[in-house]
Amino acid sequence: MNAGSEHPFRTRSLGPIGVEIEGLDLRQAISDSAFAALRATVVEEGLVLFRDQSLEPETQIALGKRFGPIEQLVVGDEDAEPSMVKISNVDAEGRVRQDEDHFMKLIAINEGWHTDSSFREIPSSFSVFTCVVAPEEGGDTMWAHLQRAFDRLDDGTRSRLVGRAGVHDYAAAYRARGNERGGIVGFDSDPLSHPLLREHPESGRPGLYVSEHMPEIEGLSAEEGEAVRSKLLDLVTADDNTYRHHWAEGDVAIWDNRMMLHRAQGFDQRYARVMHHVRVAGSEAPISWTPN
Ligand SMILES: [Fe+2]
C-alpha cells in the first residue's frame, strides 16, 4: 500500500491496523513538510513503525518535541532523564532483573491494555518508542484501535455510553496485579474520570476510551461497570483490530494515544529487553463525543 505521492515516504500495512514507513530516515534532519506528513500518517493510522533506525536518546527526544512538549516523568530512578523513560529489565550492573525487583513491579501494569498517562487530566498525545535491546523471545507489544472499535458499536450500546465516564485509577491497577503503588516520582495518580466516548482533537473521529487501568464506570455498580468494561475491551482487542509486534533492535514505533490502546507482553526473564519511551504531552483533556 502506498499512502500517495504527496508523502515523502512509503507506507505498508502491518495487518489489520498500523503501517510501516520506509524511505524516511529519522536519524537525519526531517523537513517541516516531511514531518507534517509523518504526523498526519500517525493521526490517520494510529501506529507507525520504522525498522533499522537506532536513535540516540537526544535524537529520540528531539523527534518527540516535533510533536509537542515532552512529558516529564521519572519511573523508579530519580536520577534519570525525565524526558525519556528507560523500560529495562537490566539493572545498572548489567544483571537481568527478576519479577520481585521493585522496578519490575512498577512497570508490570504496562501488561494491561492502556493509553499512556491516563492518570493525568491531560493524558499523553503521542508516544515515541524505540527498541534498544530486543529479547529473543517474548516482550512483544500489542496495539488496538479505539476508533475502529467505536465504529463497531451497535446503536443501543453507543447511546448508553454517551455522556458516561470511566474512572482511571493507577493505584487500583497496581493492586489488581498484587502490588501497592510506590516509588513513582512525579505521579499525581488520584483517580480521575475521562469520557468513554471521545472525539479526536485533530481528526474529529470518534473513538472509545477504555483501559484496564479503569476499574470503574461512573454511575454504574461495580458489577455493571466491570461487565461494560470487559465487553468494550473485548470489542477493542479483537484479533482483527490489533497488531502484535515482535521487537528487533533499531525498531521505532510512534503511536497516537488518543486513538490506540497498547500493552506489553510479559518479560521473559531469560533475556534482556531495553526500550526507550518518550511521551508527548497532550494539549487538551479528552473531548467527550456526543451525536449531532
Ligand atoms: Fe504504555
Side-chain angles (χ1 to χ4, degrees):
M1 189 180 84
N2 195 300
S5 57
E6 75 275 16
H7 285 176
F9 47 76
R10 297 176 301 283
T11 60
R12 191 174 64 77
S13 175
L14 289 169
I17 62 167
V19 295
E20 181 176 341
I21 289 182
E22 295 169 332
L24 182 66
D25 190 339
L26 300 173
R27 294 160 294 189
Q28 307 294 323
I30 302 171
S31 69
D32 286 348
S33 63
F35 178 75
L38 169 59
R39 184 187 178 110
T41 302
V42 178
V43 170
E44 172 70 23
E45 304 288 348
L47 167 69
V48 304
L49 180 76
F50 298 81
R51 297 182 198 269
D52 300 321
Q53 298 207 17
S54 294
L55 303 184
E56 294 298 325
E58 55 270 26
T59 307
Q60 183 175 347
I61 292 168
L63 175 61
K65 283 181 179 167
R66 299 285 291 269
F67 285 90
I70 304 302
E71 273 191 8
Q72 303 297 292
L73 186 70
V74 175
V75 178
D77 178 1
E78 292 185 42
D79 297 326
E81 154 64 73
S83 296
M84 193 175 76
V85 178
K86 293 182 179 176
I87 302 172
S88 170
N89 63 348
V90 182
D91 67 17
E93 281 76 47
R95 294 180 301 237
V96 174
R97 292 172 158 134
Q98 300 303 307
D99 285 341
E100 58 274 13
D101 182 281
H102 180 65
F103 184 78
M104 299 308 291
K105 289 181 176 179
L106 286 178
I107 63 175
I109 65 166
N110 293 335
E111 294 173 27
W113 286 104
H114 66 283
T115 74
D116 287 328
S117 299
S118 75
F119 61 90
R120 298 185 193 272
E121 294 282 350
I122 301 177
S124 299
S125 50
F126 301 95
S127 289
V128 179
F129 199 88
T130 60
C131 177
V132 181
V133 178
E136 282 179 44
E137 289 176 40
D140 295 355
T141 298
M142 296 182 72
W143 289 267
H145 202 301
L146 291 158
Q147 295 171 339
R148 285 169 48 122
F150 175 96
D151 295 341
R152 295 174 174 186
L153 286 173
D154 62 77
D155 290 345
T157 304
R158 184 180 301 182
S159 55
R160 282 195 295 280
L161 297 177
V162 170
R164 284 209 181 275
V167 180
H168 294 248
D169 184 346
Y170 276 49
Y174 276 108
R175 281 197 302 276
R177 292 181 180 273
N179 296 314
E180 289 301 320
R181 191 187 69 82
I184 300 183
V185 180
F187 267 48
D188 174 12
S189 66
D190 288 341
L192 56 78
S193 297
H194 294 304
L196 289 175
L197 303 182
R198 71 185 299 186
E199 181 180 307
H200 194 285
E202 296 185 47
S203 69
R205 274 185 71 179
L208 280 169
Y209 193 13
V210 293
S211 163
E212 285 190 65
H213 299 174
M214 187 192 85
E216 293 173 45
I217 295 177
E218 281 186 359
L220 298 184
S221 70
E223 295 74 27
E224 288 173 316
E226 175 52 32
V228 171
R229 185 184 83 146
S230 65
K231 178 180 167 183
L232 296 178
L233 279 170
D234 285 350
L235 183 71
V236 178
T237 62
D239 286 347
D240 64 352
N241 197 43
T242 56
Y243 170 69
R244 176 177 181 149
H245 188 64
H246 183 62
W247 294 101
E249 186 180 322
D251 288 347
V252 181
I254 305 173
W255 66 88
D256 186 338
N257 286 293
R258 301 165 300 182
M259 56 189 281
M260 305 294 282
L261 288 183
H262 64 280
R263 61 169 297 205
Q265 301 290 120
F267 284 72
D268 185 327
Q269 302 303 1
R270 286 175 297 168
Y271 304 114
R273 181 185 190 267
V274 182
M275 319 295 276
H276 287 173
H277 189 183
V278 171
R279 299 177 180 203
V280 181
S283 51
E284 64 286 293
I287 301 164
S288 180
W289 178 87
T290 51
N292 288 321

